[in-house]
Amino acid sequence: VSEDLSPAVIVQGRQQPDFLGNKILFGAYAIVFAGTSNNMHQRGECGIALRETVRPGRYRFMILDTGRVIHSHSWQELPIDDFVISRVHDLASREGQPLLVDGYPILEFAPGVPIRDIDQEF
């Protein structure tokens, strides 16, 4: 038994997965696979990429059905369609998120505490 190679690599001759090569951009839409089971339940969930986790090749995703955040090292990126856009808008409105100003988020020190430009104060 090897500490570096999986049984599939040894017995079946499959290639070792390259988790370090897994990259996905923030906001990308994907089907996320977080574990498998030997039953008829759905194995993938639709999600939006958030950020890389501490472990290389693993990312956090916001699941569109529930809004919860999961992490995974396996996904299939898909094009964003109108359903995805409307679902993200629904989740944002339920959380009371503000609208973007000119396509950019509003940056604050804390909720309701704006960041002031130093030049404006003098």
Side-chain angles (χ1 to χ4, degrees):
V1 179
S2 173
E3 292 183 19
D4 298 329
L5 301 175
S6 71
V9 172
I10 296 170
V11 176
Q12 298 176 342
R14 292 187 184 177
Q15 291 206 356
Q16 187 77 0
D18 178 22
F19 295 127
L20 297 177
N22 280 353
K23 299 287 181 195
I24 190 166
L25 294 175
F26 171 79
Y29 173 57
I31 294 179
V32 183
F33 304 101
T36 60
S37 57
N38 194 16
N39 57 33
M40 295 300 291
H41 293 291
Q42 179 178 342
R43 294 180 185 204
E45 299 180 89
C46 297
I48 300 292
L50 298 177
R51 65 180 175 92
E52 192 170 11
T53 63
V54 176
R55 296 177 63 188
R58 295 178 74 92
Y59 281 78
R60 291 188 186 276
F61 292 87
M62 179 186 67
I63 301 303
L64 292 179
D65 289 340
T66 62
R68 72 186 165 99
V69 176
I70 66 169
H71 64 274
S72 177
H73 61 76
S74 180
W75 62 83
Q76 179 180 357
E77 192 169 348
L78 300 171
I80 295 176
D81 58 11
D82 291 335
F83 167 75
V84 175
I85 294 169
S86 66
R87 183 63 184 145
V88 170
H89 282 273
D90 289 344
L91 290 171
S93 64
R94 285 184 189 170
E95 292 181 1
Q97 297 294 326
L99 296 176
L100 299 179
V101 177
D102 295 327
Y104 297 100
I106 299 170
L107 302 177
E108 300 175 319
F109 283 117
V113 181
I115 299 173
R116 293 191 183 97
D117 191 2
I118 294 175
D119 294 336
Q120 291 176 350
E121 295 182 15
F122 296 107

